[in-house]
């Protein structure tokens, strides 16, 4: 446990490793032990259920048997699938939990260091699409057409929303949680000031920011090309797949950050916008008035929705800030 005395008030950092990342809880108040334990247990439990890397997880079992028989899942996983289908519809299919077959294909391609063939991609695409997931009564789920599920783009958001619930139940009202690039802010900092959340600089090392947002209780979720990527034949490819083409997303977006009190929504939408590529993403943000986002492009531009623009401070003047309501992106 790491404690530091700041402005005569104790801040405590508690950390754990899970969900393939380091997770940090920063509490600006005492009596957080029980809360941390509950959150810790919840994260471990959800990882056991949702991980596609664990053969005994609920999702791995669903992927193995779900095409043949209805599989009963727990209420949390059932609700997560329900939300995923909702966000898939909202994002016009760009967020897609049936992406697993395509992920497997690209993983294999990476291992062989050889691009998949057109036929292989077309075949994997025929096994994808939310219409292949059926929610039945009694928490049962059936998969059609050999579809397989992957919650990599939404699990952290879902977990973050549950952590907020745990915090509310336990009376925690001044804390911040970092789930590996997925930030949850709770209440105000030391109950008085807004939180400053940095947007990472796309061309510099981890500690550098291109700007920061000043926010109250919310969540800040980023999908970025520099976070996780792979290479085939020396070509850099994104870990986010465009479900319309079956290919990794274009590289014109360096990072996309969505701010919303609903972390699950923010997680799904940030991935969907990344998968769309720059033009479509900006048009989509403009058409849906409900998304608050910061899009950092590979060409030193920052597209930002008007409400967030008021809360944003630029730290690198070589970037141009553009309000999404003031441009037409053709
Ligand atoms: P991160 O894992 O960096 O937080 P994301 O939330 O954007 O990033 O999720 C990326 C993961 O989601 C990928 O590793 C993969 O498992 C899955 N995925 C990739 N493309 C899509 C997509 N279009 N829709 C839903 N999930 C996706
Ligand atoms: Mg996501």
């Amino acid at each position: 446990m790491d404690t530091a005395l700041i402005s005569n008030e104790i801040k405590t950092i508690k950390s754990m490793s899970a969900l393939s990342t380091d997770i940090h809880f920063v509490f600006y108040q005492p009596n957080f032990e029980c809360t941390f334990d509950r959150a810790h247990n919840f994260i471990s439990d959800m990882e056991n259920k949702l991980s596609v890397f664990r053969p005994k997880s609920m999702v791995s079992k669903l992927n193995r048997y779900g095409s043949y028989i209805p599989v009963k899942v727990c209420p949390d996983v059932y609700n997560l699938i329900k939300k995923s289908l909702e966000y898939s519809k909202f994002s016009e299919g760009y967020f897609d939990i049936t992406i697993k077959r395509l992920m497997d294909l690209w993983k294999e391609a990476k291992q062989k260091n050889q691009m998949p063939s057109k036929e292989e991609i077309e075949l994997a695409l025929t096994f994808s699409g939310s219409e292949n997931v059926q929610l039945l009564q009694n928490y049962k789920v059936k998969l059609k057409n050999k579809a397989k599920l992957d919650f990599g783009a939404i699990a952290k958001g879902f977990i973050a929303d549950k952590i907020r619930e745990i915090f509310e139940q336990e009376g925690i009202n001044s804390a911040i949680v970092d789930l590996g690039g997925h930030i949850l802010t709770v209440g105000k900092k030391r109950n008085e000031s807004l939180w400053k959340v940095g947007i990472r600089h796309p061309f510099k090392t981890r500690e550098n920011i291109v700007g920061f947002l000043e926010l109250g209780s919310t969540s800040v979720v980023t999908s970025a090309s520099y976070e996780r990527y792979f290479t085939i034949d020396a070509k850099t490819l994104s870990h986010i797949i465009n479900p319309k083409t079956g290919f990794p997303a274009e590289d014109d977006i360096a990072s996309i950050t969505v701010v919303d009190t609903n972390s699950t929504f923010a997680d799904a939408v940030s991935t969907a916008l990344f998968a769309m590529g720059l033009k479509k993403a900006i048009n989509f943000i403009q058409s849906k008035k409900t998304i608050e986002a910061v899009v950092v492009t590979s060409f030193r531009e920052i597209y930002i929705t008007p409400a967030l623009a008021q809360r944003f401070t630029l730290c690198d003047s070589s970037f141009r800030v553009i309000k999404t309501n003031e441009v037409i992106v053709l």
Side-chain angles (χ1 to χ4, degrees), residues 130-262:
S130 291
E131 66 281 4
N132 293 315
V133 187
Q134 274 184 312
L135 289 172
L136 309 174
Q137 299 226 310
N138 264 328
Y139 301 113
K140 284 191 180 152
V141 185
K142 177 85 176 64
L143 300 177
K144 290 193 290 183
N145 200 19
K146 297 187 187 160
K148 286 189 177 182
L149 310 186
D150 174 346
F151 294 94
I154 196 169
K156 277 189 204 166
F158 185 75
I159 288 169
D161 280 333
K162 292 281 178 178
I163 291 175
R164 187 183 294 285
E165 275 176 32
I166 294 173
F167 278 20
E168 273 164 16
Q169 288 159 10
E170 298 286 340
I172 296 291
N173 49 28
S174 185
I176 189 160
V177 185
D178 179 355
L179 296 117
H182 187 136
I183 308 288
L184 181 69
T185 55
V186 180
K188 284 188 170 176
K189 191 171 180 178
R190 290 186 205 97
N191 289 324
E192 56 186 38
S193 56
L194 294 173
W195 303 99
K196 286 185 183 163
V197 180
I199 307 280
R200 205 180 126 183
H201 199 296
F203 312 130
K204 293 187 179 170
T205 51
R206 180 167 280 278
E207 358 10 284
N208 293 283
I209 58 169
V210 68
F212 64 86
L213 292 163
E214 289 180 88
L215 301 164
S217 221
T218 192
S219 54
V220 186
V221 181
T222 301
S223 287
S225 52
Y226 49 73
E227 271 300 331
R228 283 162 62 204
Y229 55 86
F230 60 100
T231 51
I232 297 178
D233 243 352
K235 200 173 180 308
T236 306
L237 298 163
S238 168
H239 69 301
I240 295 174
I241 306 287
N242 177 345
K244 309 285 174 183
T245 61
F247 277 82
E250 297 292 327
D251 59 3
D252 47 9
I253 295 179
S255 74
I256 153 94
T257 300
V258 175
V259 178
D260 203 290
T261 48
N262 181 339

Side-chain angles (χ1 to χ4, degrees), residues 15-38:
S15 302
M16 66 182 284
S17 280
L19 311 169
S20 315
T21 188
D22 289 328
I23 301 176
H24 306 289
F25 291 74
V26 188
F27 295 100
Y28 287 84
Q29 63 187 89
N31 304 327
F32 51 78
E33 285 82 2
C34 175
T35 312
F36 175 72
D37 287 346
R38 275 187 69 188

Side-chain angles (χ1 to χ4, degrees), residues 9 53 77 111 132 141 188 192 204 270 296 299 320:
E9 277 191 63
F53 307 112
V77 171
Q111 278 155 3
N132 293 315
V141 185
K188 284 188 170 176
E192 56 186 38
K204 293 187 179 170
S270 70
V296 181
F299 332 108
R320 192 160 68 102

Side-chain angles (χ1 to χ4, degrees), residues 252-253 276-287 295 297 299 301-304 320-330:
D252 47 9
I253 295 179
M276 286 176 195
L278 183 61
K279 256 191 255 172
K280 170 94 189 153
I282 301 298
N283 286 328
F284 191 80
I285 290 167
Q286 287 171 332
S287 70
V295 185
T297 75
F299 332 108
E301 298 156 335
I302 299 175
Y303 288 89
I304 188 163
R320 192 160 68 102
V321 179
I322 306 158
K323 287 197 198 138
T324 55
N325 61 329
E326 290 174 357
V327 281
I328 299 170
V329 179
L330 298 170

